């Protein structure tokens, strides 16, 4: 290594901090920026003598080699500093000069001077409408019409010709960077509307425009922390679609962008771009969780956006809570797999990992879909440990998930006390930081207290989250309720149920579908829970009745609340009585007759193995529902086949079958179909809607 290089100077400066080599060009040391540091949590990676990356895993700070050299007060190679472009401009010519292009180039792209909202501005057309770049140096710098749709800027026949001739595709940020890039020979383009991940519709449009060509892609976002984070996420989006994509460090400090890079290298920008070092994952995080702005600029902040309208915000914290065994994980997995058909999702299976194979297979079969872009994390990072959560965030940053699910919260805060406001606050802060840094929704699956009514632990959790969903059992139904939806009207409660599904390998699981709550009549069969209570009350030990506490000990219920709801329904049917409030519950004569009738009906149903199955046992529904299996032939065709999915644990591993999001198709060509076999006595209170698949809307 050249002893005069920036890398050599930095290594010399770090030696007093117990610098250790961890392999080729990788180093670890105590932090030079934290007094008394002795944890060796400061890591440093070199790409060459003038490129590298560092991160302090305790403070969360990170940056490029030159950023580190500046903080260590070391000299840097001579290079022109990028001009501050967030200033006032006198007009179109001044703006063009500051970005390294002749004014005639901007005029060719149909930019013109105008007034907008009593402010001098440049107006320019895009494929979905005009936009404005204000010239007075005040925020907001850009403005779009109401209901403006983000679109590609620079995607043209001329760009496609350059790519066809072998030029790499360069994805930057901002319309002026696109113009400067193309003026200097780059096949540059960007999505309008700010620095963010690329919507799936625009990626589909680009795939179609390229006509099957897969050029190398350089992601050259701005050099600030947001650009570094988004750059890594956009590169991951392209890699998922089969492109050789890399996010690069433009090496221009904190204020440079692609236009500045083109000013620096001119017509040699293309060759210079191909020599840049990749943007390291550790550079993608901005440790500062706050920003100060004038109150008058609050109106310019982007509105809240939703993954699921009024339920799960795109960059917020959501909690799904309920008693054990009620179906919380089935709900979280249903959300995850549906969103994963279009966008990446990371699901942290902190407990019960062995059962997810069957659950995912059942969902894929019932919904006729593949696993899409779902990534499973088997085991959980400790949200109480800064090193652990930092490493986890660095791992998933390359995936760029739209949502990260942690199932369950208790398993992700090992060593912490749920009832401690301090411990819960630290855990919640880690989740909020994940949502902010990764730009994703974070969903926690959590348990309730013994009364089933409230989430377990400190109220710091409820205070900090954006949305809360309570899941409770109501006999054979599952009740979905939104108990908190910040900045939105909570949706109405939903009734769901778990539908049994037999997978192709013979394993069994269940999926959630929507159901209506109907009034039960004396002509309807008993549910399994109702039968369980009546048979217990018919025992001799309860001849004089049973207190609800004694009855709870005698039967198997997840909670007293669930048992009391079943008792209430049995009292309305006249099968159970309570002479006064607080008095013991006892079975009525009608209840005893009903037990005998059910036993007699059950014996009759097994009299002959050769008798044809009843519609209810064959379809899993009572005759009143009118629902049946959608394709019995397809169900039979799946017998003996392997589960049509693969759980992806490696971001570089390709989900099967085929591309993410395509339907699961067994070898014989028949699409997978939902299993609708089940016991009739479980379903008498329910009416399955005509379209049970997809019971909620994805934004």
């Amino acid at each position: 290594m050249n002893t005069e290089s920036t890398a050599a100077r930095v290594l010399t400066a770090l030696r007093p901090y117990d610098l250790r080599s961890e392999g080729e060009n990788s180093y670890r040391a105590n932090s030079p920026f934290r007094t008394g540091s002795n944890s060796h949590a400061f890591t440093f990676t070199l790409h060459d003598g003038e490129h590298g990356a560092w991160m302090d895993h305790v403070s969360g700070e990170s940056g490029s080699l030159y950023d580190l050299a500046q903080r260590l007060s070391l000299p840097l190679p001579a290079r022109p500093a990028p001009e501050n472009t967030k200033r006032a401009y006198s007009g179109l010519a001044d703006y063009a000069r500051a970005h390294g292009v002749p004014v005639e180039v901007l005029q060719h792209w149909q930019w013109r001077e105008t007034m907008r909202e009593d402010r001098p501005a440049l107006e320019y057309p895009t494929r979905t409408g005009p936009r404005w770049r204000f010239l007075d140096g005040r925020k907001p710098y850009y403005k779009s019409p109401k209901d403006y749709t983000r679109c590609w800027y620079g995607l043209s026949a001329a760009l496609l010709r350059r790519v066809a001739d072998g030029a790499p595709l360069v994805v930057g940020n901002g319309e002026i960077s696109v113009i400067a890039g193309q003026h200097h020979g780059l096949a540059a383009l960007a999505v309008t509307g700010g620095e963010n991940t690329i919507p799936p519709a625009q990626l589909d449009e680009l795939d179609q425009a390229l006509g099957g060509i897969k050029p190398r892609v350089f992601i050259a976002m701005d050099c600030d922390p947001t650009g570094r984070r988004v750059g890594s996420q956009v590169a991951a989006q392209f890699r998922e679609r089969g492109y050789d994509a890399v996010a690069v460090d433009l090496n221009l400090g904190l204020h440079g962008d692609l236009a500045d890079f083109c000013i620096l290298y001119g017509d040699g920008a293309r060759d210079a771009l191909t020599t840049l070092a990749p943007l390291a994952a550790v550079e993608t995080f901005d440790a500062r969780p706050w920003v100060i702005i004038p109150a008058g600029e609050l109106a310019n902040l982007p509105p809240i956006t939703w993954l699921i309208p009024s339920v799960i915000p795109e960059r917020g914290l959501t909690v799904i809570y309920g008693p054990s065994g009620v179906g919380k994980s089935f709900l979280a997995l249903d959300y995850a797999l549906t969103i994963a058909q279009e966008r990446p999702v990371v699901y942290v299976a902190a407990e019960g990992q062995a059962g997810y194979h069957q659950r995912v297979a059942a969902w894929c079969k019932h919904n006729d879909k593949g696993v899409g872009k779902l990534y499973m994390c088997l085991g959980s990072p400790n949200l109480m440990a800064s090193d652990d959560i930092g490493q986890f965030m660095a791992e998933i940053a390359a995936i760029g998930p739209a949502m990260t699910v942690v199932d369950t919260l208790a398993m992700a805060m090992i060593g912490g006390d749920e009832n401690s406001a301090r411990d819960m606050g630290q855990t919640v802060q880690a989740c909020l930081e994940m949502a902010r840094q990764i730009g994703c929704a974070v969903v926690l699956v959590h348990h309730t207290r013994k009364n089933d009514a409230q989430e377990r632990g400190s109220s710091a959790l409820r205070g900090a989250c954006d949305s809360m969903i309570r899941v409770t059992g109501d006999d054979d139904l599952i009740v979905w309720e939104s108990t908190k939806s910040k900045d939105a009207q909570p949706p109405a409660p939903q009734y769901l149920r778990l539908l049994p599904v037999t997978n192709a390998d013979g394993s069994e699981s269940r999926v959630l579908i929507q159901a209506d709550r109907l009034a039960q009549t004396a002509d309807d069969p008993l549910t399994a829970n109702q039968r369980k209570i009546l048979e217990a009350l018919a025992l001799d030990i309860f001849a004089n009745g049973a207190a609800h506490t004694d009855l709870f000990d005698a039967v198997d219920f997840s909670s007293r609340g669930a048992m009391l709801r079943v008792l209430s329904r049995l009292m309305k049917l006249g099968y159970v009585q309570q002479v006064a409030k607080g008095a013991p519950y006892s079975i009525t004569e009608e209840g005893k007759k009903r037990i005998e009738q059910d036993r007699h009906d059950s014996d009759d149903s097994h009299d002959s193995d050769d008798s044809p199955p009843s519609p209810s046992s064959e379809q899993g529904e009572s005759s009143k529902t009118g629902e049946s299996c959608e394709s019995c032939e397809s169900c039979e065709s799946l017998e003996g086949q392997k589960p049509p999915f693969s759980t992806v644990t490696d971001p570089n591993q390709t989900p099967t079958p085929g591309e993410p999001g395509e339907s699961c198709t067994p070898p014989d060509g028949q699409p997978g179909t939902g299993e609708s076999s089940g016991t009739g006595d479980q379903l008498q209170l329910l009416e399955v809607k005509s379209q049970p698949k997809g019971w909620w809307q994805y934004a």
Side-chain angles (χ1 to χ4, degrees):
M1 181 184 299
N2 184 353
T3 57
E4 298 300 317
S5 68
T6 304
R9 294 191 185 102
V10 167
L11 289 174
T12 300
L14 290 177
R15 285 197 180 99
Y17 300 96
D18 196 14
L19 180 69
R20 302 175 184 176
S21 175
E22 292 203 325
E24 186 177 1
N25 295 327
S26 295
Y27 301 87
R28 183 178 291 272
N30 296 321
S31 174
F33 309 126
R34 289 184 289 107
T35 303
S37 168
N38 62 0
S39 62
H40 285 86
F42 186 93
T43 57
F44 178 44
T45 303
L46 287 175
H47 304 302
D48 56 42
E50 300 301 326
H51 299 89
W54 65 275
M55 182 173 187
D56 187 331
H57 292 271
V58 174
S59 68
E61 294 178 293
S62 63
S64 68
L65 170 64
Y66 281 5
D67 295 332
L68 179 57
Q70 287 178 316
R71 292 196 60 175
L72 294 171
S73 301
L74 299 175
L76 295 177
R79 57 175 179 167
E83 180 180 347
N84 178 17
T85 56
K86 294 181 178 179
R87 62 170 176 85
Y89 295 92
S90 60
L92 184 66
D94 187 20
Y95 188 78
R97 183 204 61 78
H99 292 86
V101 296
V103 66
E104 292 81 10
V105 172
L106 289 188
Q107 292 170 340
H108 174 76
W109 286 74
Q110 300 180 47
W111 286 51
R112 67 182 185 90
E113 296 179 10
T114 187
M115 294 293 294
R116 179 72 179 178
E117 299 177 353
D118 297 323
R119 297 173 61 188
L122 300 178
E123 180 181 296
Y124 56 91
T126 74
R127 302 171 76 177
T128 55
R131 295 191 77 217
W132 297 270
R133 205 300 184 184
F134 293 109
L135 298 174
D136 54 11
R138 295 188 294 112
K139 293 182 179 180
Y141 301 116
Y142 288 87
K143 190 77 173 181
S144 303
K146 185 179 180 181
D147 299 326
Y148 177 82
T149 302
R150 299 176 67 200
C151 64
W152 284 113
Y153 191 80
L155 181 57
S156 63
L159 177 136
L160 295 174
R161 284 195 297 270
R162 285 184 180 177
V163 172
D165 290 339
L169 197 65
V170 181
V171 180
N173 173 54
E175 293 87 338
I176 190 62
S177 285
V178 171
I179 295 173
Q182 293 200 15
H183 177 68
H184 289 93
L186 300 179
L189 75 169
V191 175
T192 61
E195 211 163 21
N196 210 327
T197 53
I198 300 176
Q202 272 64 57
L203 289 171
D204 291 341
E205 180 186 5
L206 181 61
D207 286 342
Q208 184 175 1
L210 290 171
I213 299 175
K214 294 286 185 180
R216 192 172 188 200
V217 181
F218 289 94
I219 312 300
M221 296 294 179
D222 296 352
C223 295
D224 56 14
T226 300
R228 290 171 174 163
R229 170 177 58 80
V230 172
S232 291
Q233 294 174 341
V234 171
Q237 288 184 291
F238 274 93
R239 287 194 294 269
E240 288 170 3
R241 290 176 173 249
Y243 292 87
D244 177 12
V246 59
V248 293
D249 178 11
L250 294 178
N251 206 22
L252 296 173
L254 292 176
H255 304 293
D257 59 15
L258 184 60
D260 296 315
F261 186 84
C262 291
I263 292 174
L264 181 60
Y265 290 98
D267 292 340
R270 173 175 166 180
D271 292 336
L273 191 71
T274 60
T275 65
L276 292 176
L279 189 66
V282 295
E283 292 186 89
T284 61
F285 302 114
D286 176 12
R288 189 179 67 174
W290 49 266
V291 64
I292 299 174
I293 64 171
E297 295 184 8
L298 290 173
N300 299 324
L301 295 176
I304 188 170
T305 53
W306 301 88
L307 275 180
I308 303 173
S310 302
V311 178
I312 297 181
E314 275 201 343
R315 297 191 181 190
L317 177 60
T318 298
V319 176
I320 299 173
Y321 66 102
S324 296
V326 74
K328 303 184 298 295
S329 295
F330 286 98
L331 174 63
L333 190 62
D334 185 80
Y335 285 152
L337 278 162
T338 304
I339 293 172
Q341 301 307 307
E342 296 185 14
R343 301 174 67 181
V345 175
V346 173
Y347 196 106
V348 178
E351 57 185 37
Q353 293 94 340
Y356 279 94
H357 177 89
Q358 289 83 4
R359 294 183 183 188
V360 174
W363 189 95
C364 290
K365 180 179 179 182
H366 178 73
N367 291 279
D368 300 331
K369 297 183 184 295
V371 295
K373 302 172 184 177
L374 178 67
Y375 296 80
M376 300 295 297
C377 174
L378 306 182
S380 175
N382 188 348
L383 298 178
M384 298 284 293
S386 58
D387 284 359
D388 209 15
I389 189 63
Q391 184 177 359
F392 177 72
M393 287 168 60
E395 290 282 344
I396 67 173
I399 299 173
M403 182 171 75
T404 300
V405 180
V406 179
D407 186 0
T408 62
L409 173 60
M411 294 298 293
M413 56 181 301
I414 300 299
D417 180 3
E418 289 181 350
N419 297 308
S420 164
R422 178 177 179 178
D423 288 357
M424 184 62 81
Q426 180 180 341
T427 301
V428 166
Q429 186 58 41
C431 295
L432 294 175
E433 190 68 5
M434 190 189 311
R436 185 180 73 88
Q437 297 279 18
I438 304 300
C440 68
V442 176
V443 177
L444 302 177
V445 179
H446 193 35
H447 296 291
T448 51
R449 299 175 181 177
K450 290 183 178 180
N451 62 5
D452 293 350
Q454 193 170 1
E455 69 281 359
R456 210 166 62 189
S458 168
S459 60
L461 178 63
R462 176 171 288 271
C465 68
D466 300 283
S467 174
M468 299 197 76
I469 301 166
R470 181 169 62 196
V471 184
T472 54
D474 184 2
D475 202 355
D476 287 344
L477 291 174
I478 297 171
V479 184
W480 179 102
E481 298 174 275
S482 173
T483 59
K484 181 180 181 180
S485 183
K486 189 183 294 184
D487 301 322
Q489 183 69 27
Q494 301 265 1
Y495 288 93
L496 314 171
R497 71 175 177 89
L498 287 168
L499 178 72
V501 175
T502 301
N503 295 319
D505 65 352
S507 63
E508 295 184 353
S509 189
R510 293 173 292 175
V511 295
L512 277 178
I513 62 171
Q514 192 172 17
D516 281 338
R517 185 179 184 181
L518 301 179
Q520 186 181 16
T521 70
D523 294 329
D524 294 318
L526 296 172
T527 68
N529 287 331
Q530 291 171 344
R531 188 183 304 109
K532 185 161 50 178
I533 287 180
L534 289 180
E535 288 179 345
L537 289 175
L539 297 174
D540 291 341
I541 59 171
F542 294 140
N544 296 320
H548 71 85
T549 53
D550 295 331
L551 188 58
F552 183 75
D553 292 337
V555 295
D556 181 22
F557 269 88
S558 61
S559 67
R560 285 186 172 86
M563 184 191 71
L564 290 173
R565 286 189 288 270
V566 178
L567 275 170
S568 176
R569 189 168 294 153
L570 288 171
M571 291 174 65
K572 291 178 180 179
L573 290 169
Y575 298 152
V576 172
Q577 63 183 0
Q578 187 184 35
V579 295
K581 187 176 181 180
Y585 294 92
S586 59
I587 188 170
T588 64
E589 289 301 319
E590 288 299 317
K592 294 177 182 178
K593 291 178 182 178
R594 186 52 195 269
I595 291 177
E596 290 302 319
Q597 177 185 336
D598 269 39
R599 288 173 180 165
H600 177 73
D601 292 344
S602 178
D603 291 341
D604 286 347
S605 68
H606 297 290
D607 280 347
S608 174
D609 292 337
D610 296 327
S611 60
S614 66
S616 63
S617 63
E618 185 174 291
Q619 300 172 5
E621 299 288 342
S622 67
S623 58
K624 71 167 69 177
T625 67
E627 295 290 336
S628 63
C629 181
E630 294 183 44
S631 175
C632 293
E633 291 181 0
S634 295
C635 288
E636 292 171 1
S637 72
L638 290 172
E639 292 300 321
Q641 303 295 338
K642 294 181 179 180
F645 77 101
S646 66
T647 301
V648 180
T649 56
D650 182 351
N652 297 316
Q653 180 181 345
T654 304
T656 54
E659 292 297 320
E662 75 175 3
S663 300
C664 291
T665 306
D668 64 359
Q670 291 289 341
T673 183
E675 183 78 20
S676 31
S677 61
T679 54
D681 63 339
Q682 291 180 312
L683 311 175
Q684 299 307 316
L685 302 181
L686 315 174
E687 178 179 343
V688 180
K689 290 184 177 297
S690 59
Q691 294 180 339
K693 300 179 182 180
W695 59 272
W696 54 273
Q697 288 296 314
Y698 171 46

